[in-house]
Amino acid sequence: MATHEFFVDMTCEGCSGAVARVLKKLDVKFDIDLPNKKVSIESDKDKDVLLEALKKTGKTVTYIDPK
């Protein structure tokens, strides 16, 4: 299972709650780091599927390429 990291422009608990709701529908393991505006997702799903799901929150979303 791969871990994908995304930058999501979240400013409050409401923002992170929206991200959590979208990700729960995908049935993936995730961790939201609100202060650093990062979302880590453990999933076998393609990063583009995850990116599109996160964009449904209306927030600016950027995939963070692994180093």
Side-chain angles (χ1 to χ4, degrees):
M1 193 167 311
T3 300
H4 303 282
E5 282 200 335
F6 297 87
F7 170 83
V8 183
D9 191 20
M10 303 174 288
T11 55
C12 64
E13 292 290 326
C15 299
S16 62
V19 169
R21 281 191 297 278
V22 166
L23 293 176
K24 283 178 184 172
K25 290 180 184 176
L26 291 179
D27 195 31
V28 295
K29 289 176 73 175
F30 63 92
D31 182 58
I32 298 173
D33 179 357
L34 183 56
N36 292 312
K37 301 183 178 186
K38 279 188 181 175
V39 178
S40 298
I41 304 170
E42 276 188 48
S43 174
D44 289 328
K45 296 184 189 315
D46 187 72
K47 70 174 175 67
D48 293 327
V49 171
L50 301 172
L51 184 65
E52 286 307 310
L54 289 170
K55 285 184 177 180
K56 289 180 183 176
T57 62
K59 303 293 173 196
T60 302
V61 182
T62 308
Y63 180 70
I64 302 171
D65 280 319
K67 292 178 175 69

